[in-house]
Amino acid sequence: MLNSTMVTEFLLTRFSDVWERRALHTMLFLLTYLATLMGNLLIVTVTTLDHSLHTPMYFFLRNLSVLDMCYISVIIPKACVIFLLDSRVISIAGCAAQVFFVIFLVYTELLFLSIMAHDRYVAICQPLQYPMIMNYQVCVQMTLVAVLSGVVYSGFHTGNTFQLSFCQSNMVHQFCCDISPLLNLSCSDTLSNEISVFISAVVTLVGSFAIITRSYVHIFSTVLKFPMRREQGKAFSTCVPHILVVTAFVSSIAAIYMKPTSHSPTIHDMITSVFYSIVPPLLNPMIYSPRNKQIKEAVRRITRRKLCSGK
């Protein structure tokens, strides 16, 4: 153990110390945050108020939007504070909470994306059994399993990280607390931590990717057998947004958690973290809402009802 003062707080890193750039970064992050909140809140509101959207597909989409709003709220407000104000301090408890919620939300969202792929598989390949297989009780059970397993998964990695000793630099080379830069600051042996993070990330990503790939292989083979192009187009239109969201989300996770731990962080690592933490939650409403005819029709119906009730 190094004969050093134990760390009691961490300092997060800005992209720049120039005030004008800090103000610009704050504005960009804040606009992205507001756009993400509004887009996902629209999905939650519409899928809740319109009874025609009370189906398993929109049940999971609503949960996905709630996760995205929570996810970006864990990261962006604190990042805006360190960009705009002079203080870059975050307590060990605050850092641990941020790590826990980020891992929990990322893991749970990945499970939801896998469940949504399975839901599309059942809806398209087994339409007659769909109401029985994907009934409300099953959807709730899947949601609870995803959330509870996310708590266990996140609790393990957070506890495993913060049981280490931090007695070197307290400068976290990221605008938010994450496992990789924290391991660089520890004066303990972190090899077992790095191995557990890598193996669990591989298992989780490969498992989810296998479920999603299997579902879409069956979906596409079934859809191509449809006699009418209109039916094919309708089936593809419900799958393409999900594939785009999965691609963006999985690739960003892989870029962060499946690369070797860097002991000389660069600005490239921070930019990668921006893509990983901001882009996926923003893409969800941008991809689903404009392309989804049912959501657009539901918005029109709700708007008409509000206008009529206001007269």
Side-chain angles (χ1 to χ4, degrees):
M1 185 69 67
L2 294 175
N3 185 20
S4 305
T5 304
M6 298 299 292
V7 171
T8 58
E9 60 188 19
F10 294 108
L11 296 178
L12 299 176
T13 304
R14 305 186 185 105
F15 288 99
S16 173
D17 288 328
V18 179
W19 166 248
E20 290 77 7
R21 293 180 181 177
R22 286 164 51 189
L24 177 61
H25 296 156
T26 303
M27 185 169 58
L28 291 176
F29 270 53
L30 188 58
L31 289 174
T32 303
Y33 179 60
L34 293 175
T36 302
L37 284 185
M38 291 175 62
N40 283 289
L41 186 61
L42 174 65
I43 291 177
V44 172
T45 303
V46 171
T47 56
T48 300
L49 295 180
D50 195 288
H51 292 284
S52 67
L53 300 183
H54 288 185
T55 63
M57 174 183 172
Y58 293 103
F59 172 81
F60 292 119
L61 179 58
R62 179 165 60 249
N63 290 337
L64 192 68
S65 293
V66 172
L67 287 175
D68 280 336
M69 287 191 291
C70 294
Y71 177 40
I72 202 166
S73 296
V74 170
I75 297 173
I76 299 303
K78 182 62 179 178
C80 289
V81 169
I82 69 165
F83 291 161
L84 198 60
L85 304 181
D86 289 332
S87 176
R88 296 181 291 144
V89 174
I90 184 170
S91 66
I92 287 185
C95 190
Q98 196 171 58
V99 169
F100 175 85
F101 283 113
V102 166
I103 296 175
F104 164 71
L105 293 166
V106 168
Y107 177 87
T108 308
E109 181 157 343
L110 190 59
L111 292 190
F112 271 121
L113 291 172
S114 303
I115 293 170
M116 290 173 72
H118 177 71
D119 171 71
R120 291 299 83 208
Y121 157 71
V122 177
I124 293 173
C125 300
Q126 302 178 37
L128 298 180
Q129 288 88 15
Y130 181 71
M132 180 179 63
I133 296 175
M134 298 298 294
N135 59 62
Y136 180 75
Q137 185 177 2
V138 169
C139 293
V140 172
Q141 289 173 350
M142 286 182 170
T143 300
L144 290 176
V145 168
V147 170
L148 293 177
S149 63
V151 170
V152 173
Y153 182 92
S154 180
F156 168 77
H157 284 294
T158 304
N160 207 27
T161 300
F162 284 89
Q163 57 94 23
L164 298 172
S165 297
F166 298 97
C167 53
Q168 299 182 29
S169 169
N170 67 340
M171 178 69 71
V172 179
H173 291 280
Q174 281 292 358
F175 58 87
C176 64
C177 283
D178 202 0
I179 289 180
S180 181
L182 288 172
L183 294 182
N184 291 335
L185 302 182
S186 176
C187 49
S188 304
D189 182 11
T190 61
L191 180 60
S192 61
N193 294 72
E194 293 175 22
I195 292 173
S196 65
V197 168
F198 181 79
I199 291 177
S200 60
V202 170
V203 170
T204 304
L205 286 172
V206 170
S208 298
F209 187 73
I211 294 172
I212 293 168
T213 302
R214 170 190 169 277
S215 298
Y216 280 107
V217 166
H218 287 291
I219 287 172
F220 291 144
S221 62
T222 301
V223 168
L224 292 175
K225 296 176 184 176
F226 287 176
M228 298 180 62
R229 290 189 178 275
R230 183 180 178 183
E231 293 178 346
Q232 291 181 352
K234 184 178 179 181
F236 280 127
S237 67
T238 64
C239 297
V240 170
H242 183 257
I243 293 174
L244 293 174
V245 170
V246 167
T247 301
F249 195 67
V250 172
S251 60
S252 62
I253 294 174
I256 293 292
Y257 290 107
M258 293 181 68
K259 69 179 182 66
T261 302
S262 173
H263 294 282
S264 55
T266 64
I267 191 67
H268 178 265
D269 294 324
M270 293 184 66
I271 294 173
T272 303
S273 293
V274 171
F275 183 84
Y276 156 69
S277 58
I278 296 178
V279 174
L282 180 63
L283 279 180
N284 185 24
M286 290 178 63
I287 290 175
Y288 276 107
S289 299
R291 294 181 61 88
N292 195 297
K293 184 178 178 182
Q294 287 179 286
I295 288 182
K296 290 190 288 187
E297 290 177 349
V299 170
R300 295 192 191 100
R301 286 195 295 269
I302 293 172
T303 303
R304 282 199 298 268
R305 286 203 297 266
K306 293 296 182 183
L307 290 175
C308 292
S309 63
K311 291 181 180 179

